[in-house]
Coordinates of all heavy atoms in Angstrom, one line a residue:
M1 N 97.8 113.4 280.5 CA 98.9 112.5 280.2 C 100.2 113.0 280.6 O 100.7 114.0 280.0 CB 98.8 112.2 278.6 CG 99.5 111.0 278.2 SD 99.4 110.8 276.3 CE 97.7 110.3 276.1
E2 N 100.8 112.5 281.6 CA 102.1 112.9 282.1 C 103.2 112.7 281.1 O 103.3 111.6 280.5 CB 102.4 112.1 283.4 CG 103.6 112.6 284.2 CD 103.4 113.9 285.0 OE1 102.2 114.2 285.3 OE2 104.4 114.5 285.3
G3 N 104.1 113.7 281.0 CA 105.2 113.6 280.0 C 104.8 113.4 278.6 O 105.4 112.7 277.8
A4 N 103.7 114.1 278.2 CA 103.1 113.9 276.9 C 103.8 114.8 275.9 O 104.3 115.9 276.2 CB 101.6 114.1 276.9
M5 N 103.7 114.4 274.6 CA 104.1 115.2 273.5 C 102.8 115.5 272.6 O 101.8 114.9 272.9 CB 105.2 114.5 272.7 CG 106.4 114.1 273.5 SD 107.7 113.5 272.5 CE 108.5 115.0 272.1
L6 N 103.0 116.4 271.7 CA 101.8 116.9 271.0 C 102.2 117.0 269.5 O 103.2 117.5 269.1 CB 101.5 118.3 271.5 CG 100.2 118.9 271.1 CD1 99.1 118.3 272.0 CD2 100.2 120.4 271.4
I7 N 101.3 116.5 268.6 CA 101.4 116.7 267.2 C 100.4 117.7 266.8 O 99.2 117.6 267.1 CB 101.1 115.4 266.4 CG1 102.0 114.2 266.9 CG2 101.4 115.6 264.9 CD1 101.6 112.9 266.3
A8 N 100.8 118.7 266.1 CA 99.9 119.8 265.5 C 99.9 119.6 264.0 O 100.8 119.1 263.4 CB 100.5 121.2 265.9
F9 N 98.7 120.0 263.5 CA 98.4 119.8 262.0 C 98.0 121.0 261.4 O 97.5 122.0 262.0 CB 97.3 118.7 261.9 CG 97.6 117.4 262.5 CD1 97.3 117.2 263.9 CD2 98.2 116.4 261.8 CE1 97.6 116.0 264.5 CE2 98.5 115.2 262.4 CZ 98.2 115.0 263.7
D10 N 98.1 121.1 260.0 CA 97.6 122.2 259.3 C 96.1 121.9 258.8 O 95.5 122.9 258.3 CB 98.5 122.4 258.0 CG 99.8 123.1 258.5 OD1 99.8 123.9 259.4 OD2 100.8 122.8 257.8
S11 N 95.7 120.7 258.9 CA 94.3 120.4 258.4 C 93.6 119.4 259.3 O 94.3 118.5 259.9 CB 94.2 119.9 257.0 OG 94.7 118.6 256.9
T12 N 92.3 119.5 259.5 CA 91.6 118.5 260.3 C 91.6 117.1 259.7 O 91.7 116.1 260.4 CB 90.1 119.0 260.4 OG1 90.1 120.3 261.0 CG2 89.3 118.1 261.3
Q13 N 91.6 117.1 258.3 CA 91.7 115.8 257.6 C 93.0 115.1 258.0 O 92.9 113.8 258.3 CB 91.7 116.1 256.1 CG 91.8 114.8 255.3 CD 91.9 115.0 253.8 OE1 92.0 116.2 253.4 NE2 91.9 114.0 253.0
Q14 N 94.1 115.7 258.1 CA 95.4 115.1 258.5 C 95.3 114.6 259.9 O 95.9 113.6 260.3 CB 96.6 116.0 258.2 CG 96.8 116.2 256.7 CD 97.1 114.9 256.0 OE1 98.0 114.1 256.4 NE2 96.5 114.7 254.8
A15 N 94.7 115.4 260.8 CA 94.6 115.1 262.2 C 93.8 113.8 262.4 O 94.2 112.9 263.1 CB 94.0 116.3 263.0
L16 N 92.7 113.7 261.7 CA 91.8 112.6 261.8 C 92.5 111.3 261.2 O 92.3 110.2 261.7 CB 90.4 112.8 261.2 CG 89.6 113.9 261.9 CD1 88.4 114.2 261.2 CD2 89.4 113.6 263.4
R17 N 93.2 111.5 260.1 CA 93.9 110.4 259.5 C 95.0 109.9 260.5 O 95.1 108.7 260.6 CB 94.5 110.9 258.2 CG 95.2 109.8 257.4 CD 95.5 110.3 256.0 NE 96.4 109.4 255.4 CZ 97.7 109.6 255.1 NH1 98.3 110.8 255.4 NH2 98.5 108.7 254.6
A18 N 95.7 110.8 261.1 CA 96.8 110.4 262.0 C 96.2 109.7 263.2 O 96.7 108.7 263.7 CB 97.6 111.6 262.5
E19 N 95.0 110.2 263.7 CA 94.4 109.5 264.8 C 94.1 108.1 264.5 O 94.4 107.2 265.3 CB 93.1 110.3 265.1 CG 92.3 109.6 266.2 CD 90.9 110.2 266.4 OE1 90.3 110.7 265.4 OE2 90.3 110.0 267.5
M20 N 93.5 107.9 263.3 CA 93.2 106.5 262.9 C 94.4 105.6 262.8 O 94.5 104.5 263.3 CB 92.4 106.5 261.5 CG 92.1 105.2 261.0 SD 91.7 105.2 259.2 CE 93.3 105.7 258.5
L21 N 95.5 106.1 262.2 CA 96.7 105.4 262.0 C 97.4 105.0 263.3 O 97.9 103.9 263.5 CB 97.7 106.1 261.1 CG 97.2 106.3 259.6 CD1 98.1 107.3 258.9 CD2 97.3 104.9 258.9
L22 N 97.4 106.0 264.2 CA 98.1 105.8 265.5 C 97.3 104.8 266.3 O 97.8 103.9 267.0 CB 98.3 107.1 266.2 CG 99.3 108.0 265.5 CD1 99.3 109.4 266.2 CD2 100.7 107.4 265.5
E23 N 95.9 104.9 266.3 CA 95.1 103.9 267.0 C 95.3 102.5 266.5 O 95.3 101.6 267.2 CB 93.6 104.4 267.0 CG 93.4 105.5 268.0 CD 91.9 106.0 267.9 OE1 91.2 105.7 267.0 OE2 91.5 106.7 268.9
Y24 N 95.3 102.4 265.1 CA 95.6 101.2 264.5 C 96.9 100.6 264.9 O 97.1 99.4 265.1 CB 95.5 101.3 263.0 CG 95.6 100.0 262.2 CD1 94.6 99.1 262.1 CD2 96.8 99.7 261.6 CE1 94.7 97.9 261.4 CE2 97.0 98.5 260.9 CZ 95.9 97.6 260.8 OH 96.0 96.4 260.1
G25 N 97.9 101.5 265.1 CA 99.2 101.0 265.6 C 99.3 100.8 267.1 O 100.3 100.5 267.7
E26 N 98.1 100.8 267.7 CA 97.9 100.5 269.2 C 98.8 101.5 270.0 O 99.3 101.1 271.1 CB 98.2 99.1 269.5 CG 97.3 98.1 268.8 CD 97.5 96.7 269.2 OE1 98.4 96.4 269.9 OE2 96.7 95.9 268.7
I27 N 98.8 102.8 269.6 CA 99.5 103.8 270.4 C 98.4 104.6 271.2 O 97.4 105.0 270.6 CB 100.3 104.7 269.5 CG1 101.5 103.9 268.9 CG2 100.8 105.9 270.2 CD1 102.3 104.6 267.8
E28 N 98.7 104.8 272.5 CA 97.7 105.5 273.3 C 97.8 107.0 272.9 O 98.9 107.6 273.0 CB 98.1 105.3 274.8 CG 97.3 106.1 275.7 CD 97.8 106.1 277.1 OE1 98.7 105.3 277.4 OE2 97.3 106.9 277.9
I29 N 96.7 107.5 272.5 CA 96.6 108.9 272.1 C 95.4 109.6 272.7 O 94.4 108.9 273.1 CB 96.6 109.1 270.6 CG1 95.4 108.5 270.0 CG2 97.9 108.6 270.0 CD1 95.1 108.8 268.5
D30 N 95.4 110.9 272.7 CA 94.2 111.7 273.0 C 94.1 112.8 272.0 O 95.1 113.5 271.7 CB 94.4 112.3 274.4 CG 94.2 111.3 275.6 OD1 93.4 110.4 275.4 OD2 95.0 111.5 276.6
L31 N 92.9 113.1 271.5 CA 92.7 114.3 270.7 C 92.7 115.4 271.7 O 92.1 115.3 272.8 CB 91.4 114.2 270.0 CG 91.4 113.5 268.7 CD1 90.0 113.5 268.0 CD2 92.4 114.0 267.7
F32 N 93.3 116.5 271.4 CA 93.5 117.6 272.3 C 93.4 118.9 271.5 O 93.9 119.0 270.4 CB 95.0 117.4 272.8 CG 95.4 118.2 273.9 CD1 95.1 117.9 275.2 CD2 96.2 119.4 273.6 CE1 95.6 118.7 276.2 CE2 96.7 120.2 274.7 CZ 96.4 119.8 276.0
P33 N 92.8 120.0 272.1 CA 92.7 121.3 271.4 C 94.1 121.8 271.2 O 95.0 121.7 272.1 CB 91.9 122.2 272.3 CG 91.3 121.3 273.3 CD 92.1 120.0 273.4
T34 N 94.4 122.3 270.0 CA 95.8 122.9 269.8 C 96.0 124.1 270.6 O 95.1 125.0 270.6 CB 95.9 123.2 268.3 OG1 95.7 122.1 267.5 CG2 97.3 123.8 268.0
P35 N 97.0 124.1 271.4 CA 97.3 125.3 272.3 C 97.5 126.5 271.4 O 98.0 126.5 270.3 CB 98.6 124.9 273.0 CG 98.7 123.4 273.0 CD 98.0 123.1 271.7
K36 N 97.0 127.7 272.0 CA 97.1 128.9 271.2 C 98.5 129.4 270.9 O 98.7 130.1 270.0 CB 96.3 130.0 271.9 CG 96.8 130.4 273.3 CD 96.0 131.4 273.9 CE 96.6 131.7 275.3 NZ 95.6 131.9 276.3
E37 N 99.5 128.9 271.7 CA 100.9 129.2 271.4 C 101.4 128.6 270.2 O 102.4 129.0 269.6 CB 101.8 128.8 272.6 CG 101.4 129.3 274.0 CD 100.5 128.3 274.7 OE1 101.0 127.3 275.3 OE2 99.2 128.4 274.5
I38 N 100.8 127.5 269.7 CA 101.2 126.8 268.5 C 100.4 127.3 267.3 O 99.2 127.2 267.3 CB 101.0 125.3 268.7 CG1 101.9 124.8 269.8 CG2 101.4 124.6 267.4 CD1 101.7 123.3 270.1
T39 N 101.1 127.9 266.4 CA 100.4 128.4 265.2 C 100.1 127.2 264.2 O 101.1 126.6 263.8 CB 101.2 129.4 264.4 OG1 101.5 130.5 265.3 CG2 100.5 130.0 263.2
A40 N 98.9 126.8 264.0 CA 98.5 125.7 263.2 C 97.2 126.0 262.5 O 96.4 126.8 263.0 CB 98.4 124.4 264.0
G41 N 97.0 125.3 261.4 CA 95.7 125.5 260.7 C 94.6 124.7 261.2 O 93.5 124.8 260.6
C42 N 94.8 123.9 262.2 CA 93.8 123.0 262.7 C 93.7 123.1 264.2 O 94.6 123.3 264.9 CB 94.2 121.5 262.3 SG 93.2 120.3 263.0
A43 N 92.4 123.1 264.7 CA 92.2 123.2 266.1 C 92.4 122.0 266.9 O 92.4 122.0 268.1 CB 90.7 123.7 266.3
L44 N 92.7 120.9 266.2 CA 92.9 119.6 266.9 C 94.4 119.2 266.8 O 95.1 119.4 265.8 CB 92.1 118.5 266.2 CG 90.6 118.5 266.3 CD1 90.0 117.3 265.4 CD2 90.2 118.4 267.7
S45 N 94.9 118.7 267.9 CA 96.2 118.1 268.0 C 96.0 116.7 268.6 O 95.0 116.4 269.2 CB 97.1 119.0 268.9 OG 97.3 120.2 268.4
I46 N 97.1 116.0 268.5 CA 97.1 114.6 269.1 C 98.2 114.6 270.2 O 99.4 115.0 269.9 CB 97.4 113.5 268.1 CG1 96.1 113.5 267.2 CG2 97.6 112.2 268.7 CD1 96.3 112.5 266.0
Q47 N 97.8 114.2 271.4 CA 98.7 114.1 272.5 C 99.1 112.6 272.6 O 98.2 111.7 272.5 CB 98.1 114.6 273.7 CG 99.0 114.9 274.9 CD 98.2 115.5 276.0 OE1 97.1 115.1 276.4 NE2 98.7 116.6 276.6
F48 N 100.4 112.3 272.9 CA 100.8 110.9 273.1 C 102.0 110.9 274.1 O 102.7 111.9 274.3 CB 101.2 110.3 271.7 CG 102.4 111.0 271.1 CD1 103.7 110.5 271.3 CD2 102.3 112.1 270.3 CE1 104.8 111.1 270.7 CE2 103.4 112.8 269.7 CZ 104.6 112.3 269.9
P49 N 102.2 109.7 274.7 CA 103.3 109.6 275.6 C 104.7 109.7 274.9 O 104.9 109.2 273.8 CB 103.2 108.2 276.2 CG 101.8 107.7 275.8 CD 101.5 108.5 274.6
A50 N 105.6 110.4 275.6 CA 106.9 110.6 275.0 C 107.7 109.3 274.7 O 108.5 109.3 273.8 CB 107.8 111.5 276.0
D51 N 107.4 108.3 275.5 CA 108.2 107.0 275.3 C 107.9 106.3 274.0 O 108.5 105.3 273.7 CB 108.0 106.1 276.5 CG 106.6 105.7 276.8 OD1 105.7 106.3 276.2 OD2 106.5 104.7 277.5
V52 N 106.8 106.7 273.3 CA 106.5 106.1 272.0 C 106.8 107.1 270.8 O 106.4 106.8 269.7 CB 105.1 105.6 271.9 CG1 104.9 104.5 272.9 CG2 104.1 106.7 272.1
L53 N 107.7 108.1 271.0 CA 108.0 109.1 270.0 C 108.5 108.4 268.7 O 108.1 108.7 267.6 CB 109.0 110.1 270.5 CG 109.6 111.1 269.5 CD1 108.4 111.9 268.9 CD2 110.6 111.9 270.1
K54 N 109.4 107.5 268.9 CA 110.0 106.8 267.7 C 108.9 106.1 266.8 O 108.9 106.3 265.6 CB 111.1 105.8 268.2 CG 111.9 105.3 267.1 CD 113.0 106.2 266.7 CE 114.0 105.6 265.8 NZ 114.8 106.5 265.1
E55 N 108.0 105.4 267.5 CA 107.0 104.7 266.8 C 106.1 105.7 266.1 O 105.7 105.5 264.9 CB 106.2 103.9 267.8 CG 106.9 102.7 268.4 CD 106.2 102.2 269.6 OE1 105.1 101.6 269.4 OE2 106.7 102.3 270.7
V56 N 105.7 106.8 266.8 CA 104.9 107.8 266.2 C 105.5 108.4 264.9 O 104.9 108.6 263.9 CB 104.5 108.9 267.2 CG1 103.9 110.1 266.6 CG2 103.6 108.3 268.3
Q57 N 106.8 108.8 265.1 CA 107.5 109.4 263.9 C 107.6 108.4 262.7 O 107.4 108.8 261.6 CB 108.9 109.7 264.3 CG 109.0 111.0 265.2 CD 110.4 111.3 265.7 OE1 111.1 110.4 266.2 NE2 110.8 112.5 265.7
E58 N 107.8 107.1 263.0 CA 107.8 106.1 261.9 C 106.4 106.0 261.2 O 106.4 106.0 260.0 CB 108.2 104.7 262.5 CG 109.7 104.6 262.8 CD 110.0 103.3 263.5 OE1 109.1 102.4 263.7 OE2 111.2 103.2 263.9
I59 N 105.4 106.0 261.9 CA 104.0 105.9 261.3 C 103.8 107.2 260.5 O 103.3 107.1 259.4 CB 102.9 105.7 262.4 CG1 103.1 104.3 263.0 CG2 101.5 105.9 261.8 CD1 102.2 104.0 264.2
I60 N 104.1 108.3 261.1 CA 103.8 109.6 260.4 C 104.6 109.7 259.1 O 104.1 110.1 258.0 CB 104.2 110.8 261.3 CG1 103.4 110.8 262.5 CG2 104.3 112.1 260.6 CD1 102.3 111.7 262.7
E61 N 105.9 109.2 259.1 CA 106.7 109.2 257.9 C 106.3 108.2 256.9 O 106.1 108.5 255.7 CB 108.2 109.0 258.3 CG 109.1 109.1 257.2 CD 110.6 109.0 257.7 OE1 111.0 109.6 258.7 OE2 111.3 108.2 257.0
Q62 N 106.0 107.0 257.3 CA 105.7 105.9 256.4 C 104.3 106.2 255.7 O 104.2 105.9 254.5 CB 105.5 104.6 257.2 CG 106.8 103.9 257.5 CD 106.6 102.7 258.4 OE1 105.5 102.4 258.9 NE2 107.6 101.9 258.6
E63 N 103.4 106.8 256.4 CA 102.1 107.1 255.9 C 102.0 108.5 255.3 O 100.9 108.8 254.8 CB 101.0 106.8 256.9 CG 101.0 105.4 257.5 CD 100.6 104.4 256.5 OE1 99.9 104.7 255.5 OE2 101.1 103.2 256.6
R64 N 103.1 109.2 255.3 CA 103.1 110.5 254.7 C 102.0 111.5 255.2 O 101.4 112.2 254.5 CB 103.1 110.5 253.2 CG 104.3 109.8 252.6 CD 104.3 109.9 251.1 NE 105.6 109.4 250.6 CZ 105.7 108.2 250.0 NH1 104.7 107.5 249.8 NH2 106.9 107.9 249.5
V65 N 101.9 111.4 256.6 CA 100.9 112.3 257.2 C 101.6 113.7 257.3 O 102.7 113.9 257.7 CB 100.5 111.9 258.6 CG1 99.6 112.8 259.3 CG2 99.9 110.5 258.6
E66 N 100.8 114.7 256.8 CA 101.3 116.1 256.9 C 101.1 116.7 258.2 O 99.9 116.8 258.7 CB 100.6 116.9 255.8 CG 101.0 116.4 254.4 CD 100.2 117.2 253.3 OE1 99.8 118.3 253.5 OE2 99.9 116.6 252.3
I67 N 102.1 117.1 258.9 CA 102.0 117.7 260.2 C 102.7 119.1 260.3 O 103.5 119.4 259.5 CB 102.7 116.8 261.3 CG1 104.2 116.7 261.1 CG2 102.0 115.4 261.3 CD1 104.9 116.0 262.3
R68 N 102.3 119.9 261.3 CA 102.9 121.2 261.5 C 104.2 120.9 262.3 O 105.2 121.6 262.1 CB 101.9 122.1 262.3 CG 102.5 123.3 262.9 CD 103.0 124.3 261.9 NE 101.8 124.8 261.2 CZ 101.9 125.9 260.4 NH1 103.1 126.5 260.2 NH2 100.9 126.3 259.7
G69 N 104.1 119.9 263.2 CA 105.3 119.6 264.0 C 104.9 118.8 265.2 O 103.8 118.5 265.5
I70 N 106.0 118.3 265.9 CA 105.8 117.5 267.1 C 106.4 118.4 268.2 O 107.5 118.9 268.1 CB 106.5 116.2 267.1 CG1 105.9 115.3 266.0 CG2 106.4 115.5 268.4 CD1 106.5 113.9 265.8
F71 N 105.6 118.6 269.2 CA 106.0 119.6 270.3 C 106.1 118.9 271.6 O 105.4 118.0 271.9 CB 104.9 120.7 270.3 CG 104.8 121.5 269.1 CD1 104.1 121.1 268.0 CD2 105.5 122.7 269.0 CE1 104.0 121.8 266.8 CE2 105.4 123.5 267.8 CZ 104.7 123.0 266.7
V72 N 106.9 119.5 272.5 CA 107.1 119.1 273.9 C 107.1 120.4 274.7 O 107.5 121.4 274.3 CB 108.4 118.3 274.0 CG1 109.6 119.1 273.8 CG2 108.4 117.7 275.4
L73 N 106.6 120.3 275.9 CA 106.6 121.4 276.8 C 107.9 121.4 277.5 O 108.4 120.4 278.1 CB 105.5 121.2 277.9 CG 104.2 121.9 277.7 CD1 103.2 121.5 278.8 CD2 104.3 123.4 277.5
D74 N 108.6 122.6 277.5 CA 109.9 122.7 278.3 C 109.6 123.1 279.7 O 108.4 123.3 280.1 CB 110.8 123.7 277.5 CG 110.4 125.2 277.6 OD1 109.4 125.5 278.3 OD2 111.1 126.0 277.0
V75 N 110.6 123.4 280.5 CA 110.5 123.7 281.9 C 109.8 125.0 282.1 O 109.2 125.3 283.2 CB 111.9 123.7 282.6 CG1 112.5 122.3 282.6 CG2 112.8 124.7 282.0
N76 N 109.7 125.9 281.1 CA 109.0 127.2 281.2 C 107.6 127.1 280.7 O 107.0 128.1 280.5 CB 109.8 128.3 280.5 CG 111.2 128.5 281.0 OD1 111.4 128.5 282.2 ND2 112.2 128.6 280.1
N77 N 107.1 125.9 280.5 CA 105.7 125.7 279.9 C 105.6 126.3 278.6 O 104.5 126.9 278.3 CB 104.7 126.1 280.9 CG 104.4 125.2 282.0 OD1 104.7 124.0 281.9 ND2 103.9 125.6 283.1
T78 N 106.6 126.3 277.8 CA 106.6 126.8 276.4 C 106.7 125.6 275.5 O 107.5 124.7 275.7 CB 107.8 127.7 276.2 OG1 107.8 128.8 277.1 CG2 107.8 128.3 274.8
Y79 N 105.9 125.5 274.4 CA 106.0 124.4 273.5 C 107.2 124.6 272.5 O 107.3 125.6 271.9 CB 104.7 124.3 272.7 CG 103.6 123.7 273.5 CD1 102.6 124.6 274.1 CD2 103.4 122.4 273.6 CE1 101.6 124.0 274.9 CE2 102.4 121.8 274.4 CZ 101.5 122.6 275.0 OH 100.5 122.1 275.7
I80 N 108.0 123.6 272.4 CA 109.2 123.5 271.6 C 108.9 122.5 270.5 O 108.6 121.4 270.8 CB 110.4 123.1 272.3 CG1 110.6 124.0 273.6 CG2 111.7 123.1 271.5 CD1 110.9 125.5 273.2
N81 N 109.1 122.9 269.2 CA 109.0 122.0 268.1 C 110.2 121.2 267.9 O 111.3 121.8 267.6 CB 108.7 122.8 266.8 CG 108.3 121.9 265.6 OD1 108.5 120.7 265.6 ND2 107.8 122.5 264.6
I82 N 110.1 119.9 268.1 CA 111.3 119.1 268.0 C 111.7 118.7 266.6 O 112.7 118.1 266.3 CB 111.2 117.8 268.9 CG1 110.1 116.9 268.4 CG2 111.0 118.1 270.4 CD1 110.2 115.5 268.9
E83 N 110.8 119.0 265.7 CA 111.0 118.7 264.3 C 111.8 119.7 263.5 O 112.1 119.5 262.4 CB 109.6 118.5 263.6 CG 108.8 117.4 264.1 CD 109.3 116.0 263.7 OE1 109.3 115.8 262.5 OE2 109.7 115.3 264.5
E84 N 112.1 120.8 264.1 CA 112.9 121.8 263.4 C 114.4 121.6 263.4 O 114.9 121.0 264.3 CB 112.6 123.2 264.1 CG 111.2 123.6 263.9 CD 110.9 125.0 264.4 OE1 111.6 125.4 265.4 OE2 110.0 125.7 263.9

């Protein structure tokens, strides 16, 4: 997924819940192994297109999904948490 962002989670339960909610919201997502550079309690992350960031944030906030953060790859291929 070109220009994708990543949501990391502390629990598999929250990852699966977010997957269901985002799919219900008709947002294109992919389940993705959490990169080792991101410290998270869950091995699953959700990848989504950057152009739907606002919609994703609204769903996560409205439904009170617990996340580790939303990450983007910078020019050095380092994940940056945009939620900090």
Side-chain angles (χ1 to χ4, degrees):
M1 195 180 290
E2 186 78 21
M5 302 187 88
L6 193 79
I7 307 171
F9 302 89
D10 286 324
S11 76
T12 303
Q13 178 184 6
Q14 292 298 312
L16 296 175
R17 184 168 168 251
E19 176 191 26
M20 178 198 62
L21 291 166
L22 294 171
E23 285 178 344
Y24 183 77
E26 298 184 357
I27 294 174
E28 177 189 348
I29 62 168
D30 288 320
L31 277 179
F32 189 82
T34 302
K36 62 183 178 220
E37 308 91 86
I38 299 174
T39 305
C42 176
L44 292 176
S45 293
I46 292 177
Q47 198 174 45
F48 64 93
D51 62 343
V52 295
L53 173 62
K54 190 81 168 161
E55 295 165 67
V56 168
Q57 287 174 315
E58 286 174 3
I59 290 170
I60 297 256
E61 187 176 313
Q62 285 175 348
E63 300 297 330
R64 295 188 173 106
V65 178
E66 296 174 25
I67 65 170
R68 167 66 66 170
I70 297 177
F71 297 83
V72 63
L73 266 177
D74 70 5
V75 293
N76 299 317
N77 282 335
T78 303
Y79 284 96
I80 306 296
N81 188 346
I82 66 163
E83 295 287 295
E84 293 182 332

